[in-house]
Each structure stands twice: as structure tokens, then as C-alpha cells.
Amino acid sequence: MATWGYGNDNGPATWVKSFPVAAGTRQSPIDIVPTAAKCDTKLTENPLTVNYSPEPAMELCNPGLSVKANIKSKSVIKGGPLEGEYKLEQFHLHWGSADKQGSEHTLNGKMFPAELHLVHYNATKYSSFGEAVDKPDGLAVFGIFLKISDKPHQGLKSLTDVLSEVQYKDKSINIKQEYNPVCLLPDNINKYWTYLGSLTTPPLCESVTWIVFEEPIEVSEDQMKAFRALCCGECGSAPIVDNYRPPLPLGNRQLRASFQ
Ligand SMILES: NS(=O)(=O)c1ccc2oc(=S)[nH]c2c1
Ligand SMILES: [Zn+2]
């Protein structure tokens, strides 16, 4: 059974064969057109709140198509478009082979070099990520654009400095220093777009309330090079690059904005 990926033979255009929901009506990512978004004051009446805690020994792993940090501590979000409390499960990234591409969501058709996803599950209604992953109100994912600057991102530096230790598939390490994922969020989390969508990788479940922040976080070119040095398999395998799904039609979904 051919496993899905981002190549010509197993990439996004082929996923519908094994995952028919790929042709569904609430798929992600989408192109975000700010002028088409409806400013919804309900989003600000009940502001999005983030209550993240420090991770004592955060596990960083290379599952083969991205790099992922698994969260054990109680880090939760609520408010904004969300009903109930959502618990942080993991975060990971998508990036390009060059700065001109890499993000999954686009902004007026523009791709960013990378996009960070912080994945939460509805802990009010479900007892685990696994139970929540295929429920329409199961997940909430923060989408954060990365843009290039001459300074490295300090919060990401604790991770990019050790990526060489998870260069190959199925490698994992523990980040020694205590790590609070709140350092990954942009300064202003009150300006975001939100819509009902899906996982952007198989099984593509239509279970995600997406919250995409307007403010990108800034990373250095060297940090991007560190992501691009990760390998899909063992020593000598291809680098993990262009692990992004291109945007899908918004269809008759409403894109809401938390700001004017
Ligand atoms: N890229 S993403 O939409 O944030 C996302 C988040 C969680 C996931 O769990 C599985 S399985 N695939 C996933 C994709
Ligand atoms: Zn993702």
C-alpha cells in the first residue's frame, strides 16, 4: 500500500484515492482573502485566551514528513470561535524548498516560507486526541505564518539548534531545558481569521476549527536551512521540503475575522 506523501506519485492530488474526504466541502488549507472575511464582534466579546504551561522535557521527533513536538503538560485554549476548552496535543511545521513557498494557508494568494501548526483537541467533550480527531468540533489548530528576518526566532532556536539530532525518520529527543510553547505565538493573538476546515494531511478529517493569526513570527534563513536539512528516511534519504498541501476552495464556508 503506497503511503501518502508530497511527491509526484503520492502527493496531494493523489490523496483522494485513499481518502475520499479530500474532495469534501470543508477541506484545508484555504487562500485567505481578508476583504472577503466577515468581521464578527462575537469573536472579541469572548476573547481567545491561551493558558500554556512549561513542558519539562518536551519530546521532539521526526515522523518522516515534518518535525513534531509532543505535549504532555496541561496547556489549554478557549474563547474566540471555540466552545469549551481545547488542550494542546502537539505542534509541527510545513515548509518549502525555497523561501517563495512552504506555507499551507496563503494570504491573497501569497505563500510564506513556512507555517507552524499548534494542534489542540476539545478536552471538554472528548477524552483524547484520538477520540476527537474525526469529530466536527474535535480539534482547533493555530496556524502561524513564518517570515524571514535577519534575526533568529529565539523560541524556535531551542528546536532548530537540535534538529540535527532528529535528522532521520523515527529519531526523537527530549529538549532538556523547560520549554513553554507560548514563546511560539505572535505578539498579537487578537487578530486572526477563523473558519471550519480539516486536517491538511491524511486522514484529512473535517474536524478542525482553524485559527490563523494575522501576525507572522520571524525566523532566520539559517533556521529555515535547519528545517530543510531534515530527512524523510534514514541517512542518505531525500530532505523533507515542500511538505505543504496547496489551498482548497472555500466553497460556501464563511471566513470570519476577529478584527476590522
Ligand atoms: N497539518 S494539521 O492539519 O495541523 C494536522 C494536525 C493533526 C493531525 O493528526 C493527523 S493524524 N494528521 C494531522 C494533521
Ligand atoms: Zn500541519
Side-chain angles (χ1 to χ4, degrees):
M1 138 93 170
T3 52
W4 64 270
Y6 295 92
N8 292 331
D9 313 339
N10 66 357
T14 73
W15 293 350
V16 66
K17 283 182 286 180
S18 304
F19 306 93
V21 72
T25 57
R26 63 172 275 191
Q27 288 291 293
S28 293
I30 60 165
D31 178 35
I32 293 172
V33 180
T35 52
K38 183 177 181 307
C39 178
D40 187 345
T41 51
K42 283 204 297 298
L43 295 172
T44 40
E45 275 152 22
N46 175 17
L48 180 65
T49 56
V50 175
N51 243 314
Y52 283 177
S53 321
E55 254 329 89
M58 188 170 74
E59 188 203 18
L60 191 67
C61 66
N62 174 349
L65 291 167
S66 182
V67 60
K68 181 169 74 162
N70 296 310
I71 299 301
K72 298 186 186 72
S73 70
K74 186 176 187 305
S75 288
V76 294
I77 61 173
K78 64 183 184 356
L82 306 174
E83 307 248 325
E85 187 173 81
Y86 285 67
K87 187 171 182 290
L88 182 62
E89 169 80 9
Q90 53 108 321
F91 63 82
H92 62 272
L93 296 99
H94 304 260
W95 59 88
S97 49
D99 292 348
K100 64 181 188 327
Q101 64 206 45
S103 66
E104 299 208 295
H105 290 90
T106 51
L107 190 54
N108 282 322
K110 170 190 140 99
M111 270 190 183
F112 288 79
E115 185 172 331
L116 165 64
H117 289 158
L118 291 123
V119 182
H120 314 76
Y121 73 89
N122 187 336
T124 298
K125 280 184 74 172
Y126 308 108
S127 58
S128 70
F129 171 81
E131 189 196 346
V133 71
D134 63 349
K135 308 298 187 293
D137 59 356
L139 306 180
V141 183
F142 283 166
I144 302 173
F145 293 124
L146 272 63
K147 66 179 267 194
I148 307 297
S149 98
D150 48 9
K151 302 180 298 301
H153 188 278
Q154 287 312 315
L156 272 175
K157 198 168 179 310
S158 325
L159 311 182
T160 48
D161 281 354
V162 298
L163 286 182
S164 54
E165 294 174 48
V166 290
Q167 187 171 8
Y168 305 121
K169 187 174 190 295
D170 298 333
K171 295 279 287 178
S172 77
I173 54 157
N174 286 343
I175 301 293
K176 287 172 266 317
Q177 290 298 324
E178 191 174 78
Y179 191 85
N180 190 324
V182 75
C183 70
L184 296 172
L185 302 183
D187 295 336
N188 183 350
I189 62 166
N190 298 314
K191 293 176 82 173
Y192 59 83
W193 298 281
T194 183
Y195 74 99
L196 296 180
S198 72
L199 303 178
T200 65
T201 68
L204 300 168
C205 305
E206 298 190 322
S207 57
V208 181
T209 297
W210 277 95
I211 295 170
V212 180
F213 294 107
E214 193 236 13
E215 183 186 334
I217 59 173
E218 300 190 359
V219 300
S220 66
E221 194 52 47
D222 282 348
Q223 288 181 302
M224 287 309 306
K225 287 194 173 101
F227 286 116
R228 296 180 186 131
L230 290 167
C231 296
C232 295
E234 75 286 351
C235 181
S237 59
I240 305 176
V241 289
D242 297 326
N243 55 349
Y244 62 88
R245 187 191 193 190
L248 287 302
L250 179 63
N252 53 19
R253 289 178 281 184
Q254 175 69 55
L255 177 68
R256 294 190 288 163
S258 67
F259 63 106
Q260 186 39 269

